Amino acid sequence: MSEVTIKIEGMSCSGCASNVAKALKALPGVTGVEVSLEQACAVVQYDPAAVNEAVMRLTVEEAGFDAPHE
């Protein structure tokens, strides 16, 4: 398993964080997600054979938020 921290811009409430977490958890290969509204990021545990960071960033953007590369 691998872990990545994805910076997320545009979250303004706990509902936003919940939507991001739900979208990421739905991806095949994602085994754990913790979204922090205060730190504006998501820490994702995943299987690199099943999903990659680019797909996760796209998923965040499709949920309506920005996931810029750091």
Side-chain angles (χ1 to χ4, degrees):
M1 288 295 151
S2 295
E3 182 175 284
V4 65
T5 299
I6 299 173
K7 183 177 178 183
I8 302 172
E9 296 176 350
M11 294 189 298
S12 60
C13 65
S14 60
C16 295
S18 178
N19 287 342
V20 169
K22 184 177 179 181
L24 289 169
K25 286 177 184 175
L27 291 173
V30 171
T31 58
V33 178
E34 291 182 32
V35 178
S36 171
L37 179 61
E38 295 77 24
Q39 296 181 17
C41 69
V43 179
V44 184
Q45 293 84 34
Y46 66 101
D47 177 357
V51 67
N52 62 43
E53 187 176 339
V55 171
M56 289 183 259
R57 288 183 185 282
L58 180 60
T59 297
V60 170
E61 290 171 0
E62 287 176 345
F65 305 95
D66 292 324
H69 291 279
E70 297 183 74

